[in-house]
């Protein structure tokens, strides 16, 4: 998938976005004659992030793009040659030049799926040397994307379905790639839009934004608009000098608020007028550059009411500092009294947006591991049970009315209405379940490196799927504080394999 044909290709990860030890292990496999051994890797997590009971799977589209474009260029191979011992056999580097993902198969949860500890988000199988080189970049692409999507989903749950959430973190993001990823997967997780223009261009994320404090402070109040005239919204009637109309409205607004007309900042008012002339249908006031109560609010009202006379309706206000909740309450009260005073009913419900490091608490206040080589199951043994990996190539199913269950890939699939004996992870005893519905979780997406087995959903489709998935999750598991743990169980055969390998490792 060449970058010229795919606009998103410019944002694809590069092959050397990996750890050096992946390259040193690749050399070790090649030197031992094991480069073509078949292997499978799984990407999973052990604990849900943020103390919750669920995560959202994300990053699959980026992984597919990376795999389809994977090729070590001359410059890549030359750099690896400089990083590896100087006596490395040159034939190894010729082998690297010929590598692609034509022998790689990918199974994964669809983007936006609910994911739980121990259930693979991604399974990658193929030649051992190749999949070793893929491990780190795929982990990078899935882990951060899933973390951001999960965080966004939690914030959406707090805000509820009707509030508008805008991601504006680019200026403080972890570099340009991290910024693009965060903007993309915040949208997938449930945000409405992003301020990141590149995310709009490359990923189709809706973009939104108005003005910053720097725009407001750039005006002193002595500026004269080159053309202060504004035509009515309906397109018929005489143009009006908006700046002059705002000054007339300011007197009435200040009288209503008990302020002197000299108190509201002239420069702020000039900035609002300039913005309203440029965006009469999208005027939003940033209220806290100076004083919200004595300046931002009366200046906004004067401009909004002047626009109202011409048939325009302000789209909202924004607060960026101070006690956001208290200020929002006070502003809403002013809007309600002003709506009655000036006969403008829509003014009482003008949206109030808040920004500035909004976390879950503040928003609530406001409303991979190697698992199989050569067909032989492998298991990481450790004294810490949470760090043990599950052996073998696995399949995963969601049992409606029961658990997620992991089983070995060669086992018959569970069937709806049939009894199934499972071992909840960490439990001492098995239990029997009879699922009303069985949903396979891991779907085949890529075969032979380039061949897509089914079309990848668009970002917007994955976003909608994520919200549907969250809606299906029980309130007890969706709860953000002290949630009920979602149960993941093992099939009887997989549990027996775990027990056998654990006993063997203990000898």
């Amino acid at each position: 998938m060449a970058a010229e044909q795919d606009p998103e290709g410019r944002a694809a990860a590069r092959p050397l976005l990996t750890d050096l030890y992946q390259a040193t292990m690749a050399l070790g496999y090649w030197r031992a004659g094991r480069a073509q051994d078949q292997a499978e890797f799984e990407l999973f997590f052990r604990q849900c992030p943020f103390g919750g009971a669920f995560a959202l799977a994300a990053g699959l589209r980026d992984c597919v793009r990376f795999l389809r474009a994977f090729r070590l260029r001359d410059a890549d191979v030359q750099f690896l040659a400089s990083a590896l011992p100087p006596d490395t056999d040159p034939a190894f580097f010729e082998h690297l030049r010929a590598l692609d993902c034509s022998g790689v198969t990918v199974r994964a949860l669809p983007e936006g799926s609910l994911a739980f500890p121990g259930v693979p988000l991604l399974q990658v199988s193929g030649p051992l040397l190749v999949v070793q080189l893929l491990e780190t970049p795929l982990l990078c692409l899935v882990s951060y994307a899933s973390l951001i999507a999960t965080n966004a989903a939690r914030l959406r749950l707090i805000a509820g379905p009707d509030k508008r959430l805008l991601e504006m973190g680019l200026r403080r993001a972890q570099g340009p790639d991290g910024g693009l990823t965060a903007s993309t997967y915040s949208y997938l997780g449930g945000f409405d839009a992003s301020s990141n223009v590149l995310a709009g261009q490359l990923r189709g994320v809706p973009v939104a934004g108005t003005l910053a404090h720097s725009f407001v402070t750039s005006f002193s109040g002595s500026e004269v608009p080159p053309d202060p005239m504004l035509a009515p919204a309906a397109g018929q009637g005489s143009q009006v000098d908006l700046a002059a109309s705002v000054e007339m409205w300011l007197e009435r607004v200040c009288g209503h608020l008990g302020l002197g007309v000299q108190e509201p900042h002239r420069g702020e008012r000039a900035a609002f007028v300039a913005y309203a002339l440029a965006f009469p249908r999208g005027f939003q006031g940033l209220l806290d550059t100076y004083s919200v109560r004595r300046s931002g609010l009366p200046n906004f009202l004067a401009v909004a009411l002047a626009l109202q006379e011409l048939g325009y309706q302000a789209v909202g206000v924004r607060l960026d500092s101070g006690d956001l909740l208290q200020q929002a309450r006070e502003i809403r009260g002013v809007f309600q009294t002003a709506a009655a005073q000036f006969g403008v009913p829509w003014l009482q419900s003008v949206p109030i947006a808040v920004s500035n490091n909004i976390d879950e608490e503040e928003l609530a206040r406001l409303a991979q591991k190697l698992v199989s080589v050569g067909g032989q199951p492998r298991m990481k043994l450790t004294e810490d049970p949470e760090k043990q990996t599950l052996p073998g190539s696995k399949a995963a199913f969601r049992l409606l009315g029961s658990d997620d269950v992991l089983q070995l890939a060669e086992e018959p699939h569970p069937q709806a209405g049939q009894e199934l004996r499972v071992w909840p992870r960490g439990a001492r005893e098995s239990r029997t379940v009879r699922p009303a519905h069985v949903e396979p979780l891991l779907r085949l997406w890529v075969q032979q490196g380039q061949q897509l087995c089914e079309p990848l959903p668009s970002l917007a489709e994955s976003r909608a799927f994520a919200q549907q998935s969250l809606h299906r999750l029980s309130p007890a598991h969706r709860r953000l504080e002290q949630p009920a743990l979602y149960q993941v169980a093992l099939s009887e055969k997989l549990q027996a394999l775990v027990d056998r390998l654990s006993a063997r490792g203990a000898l």
Side-chain angles (χ1 to χ4, degrees), residues 219 222-230 239 241-243 270 273-274 277-278:
F219 287 82
S222 61
E223 298 85 2
V224 177
D227 182 7
M229 307 304 289
L230 184 64
Q239 292 188 335
D241 185 327
L242 184 65
V273 169
L277 286 168

Side-chain angles (χ1 to χ4, degrees), residues 92-342:
F92 172 66
F93 300 113
E94 292 307 310
H95 181 81
L96 293 182
R97 284 187 171 89
L99 286 181
D100 58 26
C101 290
S102 58
V104 172
T105 296
V106 175
R107 290 178 173 82
L109 299 179
E111 290 220 82
S113 295
L114 289 169
F116 301 100
V119 178
L121 282 74
L122 199 72
Q123 289 178 335
V124 182
S125 59
L128 177 57
L129 187 151
V130 174
V131 295
Q132 189 71 71
L133 292 175
L134 298 177
E135 181 189 32
T136 292
L138 293 180
L139 272 169
C140 176
L141 292 171
V142 167
S143 298
Y144 186 53
S146 298
L147 187 72
I148 291 293
T150 303
N151 181 230
R154 290 170 61 87
L155 291 169
R156 170 53 71 193
L157 287 173
I158 294 172
D162 300 324
K163 295 291 189 297
R164 183 170 167 80
L165 295 178
L166 173 63
E167 183 273 324
M168 300 189 297
L170 183 58
R171 290 177 295 169
R172 296 177 180 85
Q174 289 84 355
D177 292 336
L180 181 61
T181 300
S183 299
T184 301
Y185 292 105
S186 291
Y187 176 65
L188 185 147
F191 274 49
D192 295 288
S194 170
S195 65
N196 188 340
V197 177
L198 187 63
Q201 181 193 28
L202 297 184
R203 303 294 180 85
V205 176
V207 293
T210 52
L211 69 161
H213 292 293
S214 58
F215 182 85
V216 176
T217 58
S218 72
F219 287 82
S220 67
S222 61
E223 298 85 2
V224 177
D227 182 7
M229 307 304 289
L230 184 64
Q236 298 177 346
S238 302
Q239 292 188 335
V240 171
D241 185 327
L242 184 65
S245 178
V246 166
E247 294 301 319
M248 289 188 293
W249 272 107
L250 183 67
E251 285 195 44
R252 298 180 62 183
V253 167
C254 287
H256 172 67
L257 298 178
L259 299 171
V261 292
Q262 298 304 318
E263 291 189 66
H265 197 283
R266 293 176 59 209
E268 181 181 59
R269 190 159 63 257
F272 286 1
V273 169
Y275 197 84
L277 286 168
F279 301 98
R281 300 181 190 277
F283 173 63
Q284 182 184 55
L286 178 57
L287 301 189
D288 61 334
T289 304
Y290 301 108
S291 166
V292 173
R293 182 74 170 78
R294 297 193 308 274
S295 184
L297 195 49
N299 279 332
F300 167 79
L301 285 170
V303 176
L305 291 166
L307 287 172
Q308 153 75 20
E309 284 193 313
L310 292 169
Y312 299 100
Q313 191 167 308
V315 299
V317 297
R318 179 162 70 93
L319 296 168
D320 194 49
S321 61
D323 188 330
L324 301 175
L325 177 60
Q326 182 60 31
Q327 291 182 104
R329 286 172 173 166
E330 292 175 358
I331 290 167
R332 180 62 68 205
V334 170
F335 283 168
Q336 289 171 345
T337 61
Q341 174 70 24
F342 301 116

Side-chain angles (χ1 to χ4, degrees), residues 190-498:
F191 274 49
D192 295 288
S194 170
S195 65
N196 188 340
V197 177
L198 187 63
Q201 181 193 28
L202 297 184
R203 303 294 180 85
V205 176
V207 293
T210 52
L211 69 161
H213 292 293
S214 58
F215 182 85
V216 176
T217 58
S218 72
F219 287 82
S220 67
S222 61
E223 298 85 2
V224 177
D227 182 7
M229 307 304 289
L230 184 64
Q236 298 177 346
S238 302
Q239 292 188 335
V240 171
D241 185 327
L242 184 65
S245 178
V246 166
E247 294 301 319
M248 289 188 293
W249 272 107
L250 183 67
E251 285 195 44
R252 298 180 62 183
V253 167
C254 287
H256 172 67
L257 298 178
L259 299 171
V261 292
Q262 298 304 318
E263 291 189 66
H265 197 283
R266 293 176 59 209
E268 181 181 59
R269 190 159 63 257
F272 286 1
V273 169
Y275 197 84
L277 286 168
F279 301 98
R281 300 181 190 277
F283 173 63
Q284 182 184 55
L286 178 57
L287 301 189
D288 61 334
T289 304
Y290 301 108
S291 166
V292 173
R293 182 74 170 78
R294 297 193 308 274
S295 184
L297 195 49
N299 279 332
F300 167 79
L301 285 170
V303 176
L305 291 166
L307 287 172
Q308 153 75 20
E309 284 193 313
L310 292 169
Y312 299 100
Q313 191 167 308
V315 299
V317 297
R318 179 162 70 93
L319 296 168
D320 194 49
S321 61
D323 188 330
L324 301 175
L325 177 60
Q326 182 60 31
Q327 291 182 104
R329 286 172 173 166
E330 292 175 358
I331 290 167
R332 180 62 68 205
V334 170
F335 283 168
Q336 289 171 345
T337 61
Q341 174 70 24
F342 301 116
V344 185
W346 61 262
L347 189 57
Q348 63 183 335
S349 58
V350 166
I352 301 172
V354 295
S355 55
N356 188 27
N357 297 324
I358 305 297
D359 57 16
E360 290 187 6
E361 183 178 354
E362 180 67 12
L363 187 58
R365 285 183 70 232
L366 296 164
Q368 154 134 129
K369 304 300 172 184
L370 178 62
V371 295
S372 131
V373 175
Q376 298 301 310
R378 303 296 173 92
M379 177 179 176
K380 178 181 178 180
L381 295 172
T382 171
E383 293 181 359
D384 183 351
E386 289 190 353
K387 292 189 176 181
Q388 289 183 348
T389 59
L390 294 173
S393 179
K394 291 179 284 297
F397 301 88
R398 182 151 296 154
L399 311 182
L400 188 63
S402 182
D403 318 290
D404 279 9
V405 63
L406 294 173
Q407 64 176 49
L408 295 172
E410 68 265 20
E411 294 185 69
H413 292 187
Q415 301 294 320
Q418 294 184 2
E419 285 191 350
L420 179 69
R421 190 181 182 202
V422 298
W423 290 79
R425 296 200 67 181
R428 295 175 179 268
E429 297 181 356
S430 65
R431 67 189 186 95
T432 301
V433 298
R434 188 190 295 270
H437 177 74
V438 177
E439 176 187 348
L441 295 179
L442 295 166
R443 286 157 57 176
L444 182 62
W445 295 96
V446 177
Q447 275 186 324
Q448 299 176 335
Q450 298 286 323
Q451 180 184 336
L452 273 176
C453 298
E454 60 176 294
L456 286 168
S458 69
L459 182 61
E461 289 170 336
S462 295
R463 179 180 184 271
F465 178 63
Q467 295 306 304
Q468 292 170 6
S469 300
L470 287 166
H471 183 72
R472 291 170 56 188
L473 191 62
S474 74
H477 295 121
R478 213 163 47 219
R479 197 165 56 221
L480 302 186
E481 293 185 5
Q482 299 181 330
L485 295 180
Y486 189 93
Q487 187 62 63
V488 175
L490 309 184
S491 70
E492 191 171 10
K493 189 171 182 179
L494 178 54
Q495 182 65 50
L497 179 59
V498 169

